Amino acid sequence: MTSDIFVQRNYDPPLTDDGFWQMAHDGASCLDLYRVEWQGSLLSRDGRQLFCWFRAPDAESTRLALRQAGSGEAAPWPGTIHDSPDADAPPLETANVAVERSFEQPVTLEEIQALEDAGASCLQARDVEFVRTFFSRDRKRMVCLYRAPDAEAVREAQKKAKMPVDAVWSFELKPARVG
């Protein structure tokens, strides 16, 4: 049985596109060794944030695989994936803005969804569409993906809707690829 495992990292100096693909290539055999399957990544436009998702037996397998691959220390967290319930929602490939949220006390997805629903007009007014949420099993953090004109439109919509926000950043989706 596998679980969805997520890893968030910050880079200074920024990670380049070439650096990202070199890291993915160099780590492939270590991931295989620990039965970790890379599902894709989000690299911020400025190269300072990276969010990766994997399928693995557990978070520890992911941590060990990344460490052995030379990726340094990582703090993987298990979670669940929730796509937009809207049948007309944009596909994942069109998402371009990430919102990081953290909570002192565990929350339910329904609580956050109720806040988002209450602020739906704020999102619509700025042409922001929800695509997917990565939600931690401890229910204390999430990363939400949106399709929007830019990160500022999402930032404004989230503020107006009174949504909890730690960070908002534009990204490029890096799909897992073979070879």
Side-chain angles (χ1 to χ4, degrees):
M1 185 164 131
T2 60
S3 298
D4 289 305
I5 307 293
F6 312 112
V7 176
Q8 291 176 262
R9 302 188 71 180
N10 294 314
Y11 289 88
D12 188 17
L15 182 62
T16 64
D17 196 57
D18 289 341
F20 170 83
W21 287 114
Q22 186 64 51
M23 182 174 60
H25 177 268
D26 292 349
S29 63
C30 293
L31 294 178
D32 288 344
L33 179 66
Y34 288 92
R35 298 184 333 231
V36 175
E37 297 175 22
W38 175 44
Q39 302 299 300
S41 297
L42 315 172
L43 178 62
S44 67
R45 296 278 180 192
D46 66 4
R48 295 190 179 277
Q49 290 99 359
L50 179 66
F51 177 86
C52 301
W53 72 94
F54 303 93
R55 291 228 168 93
D58 52 43
E60 183 64 7
S61 298
T62 306
R63 187 185 70 74
L64 291 170
L66 293 174
R67 184 172 67 183
Q68 187 165 337
S71 293
E73 287 302 315
W77 45 279
T80 55
I81 298 173
H82 305 272
D83 289 325
S84 172
D86 183 357
D88 294 327
L92 176 62
E93 296 78 27
T94 65
N96 62 334
V97 178
V99 174
E100 298 176 31
R101 307 181 202 285
S102 61
F103 313 96
E104 287 191 30
Q105 299 298 318
V107 299
T108 66
L109 198 56
E110 293 76 19
E111 290 170 320
I112 300 305
Q113 187 62 54
L115 286 173
E116 181 118 345
D117 291 347
S121 64
C122 299
L123 297 171
Q124 291 169 350
R126 289 165 181 81
D127 197 26
V128 174
E129 295 180 82
F130 169 72
V131 177
R132 173 175 280 179
T133 291
F134 301 97
F135 190 41
S136 68
R137 288 198 195 244
D138 70 4
R139 301 180 356 230
K140 290 185 169 185
R141 75 171 104 178
M142 62 176 44
V143 174
C144 301
L145 308 184
Y146 295 88
R147 187 187 64 82
D150 53 39
E152 190 56 31
V154 175
R155 191 175 290 110
E156 289 173 8
Q158 297 290 300
K159 184 178 179 180
K160 193 84 164 160
K162 297 183 171 120
M163 294 292 294
V165 173
D166 294 336
V168 178
W169 41 279
S170 295
F171 67 84
E172 181 179 328
L173 178 65
K174 305 291 186 184
R177 63 182 188 190
V178 179

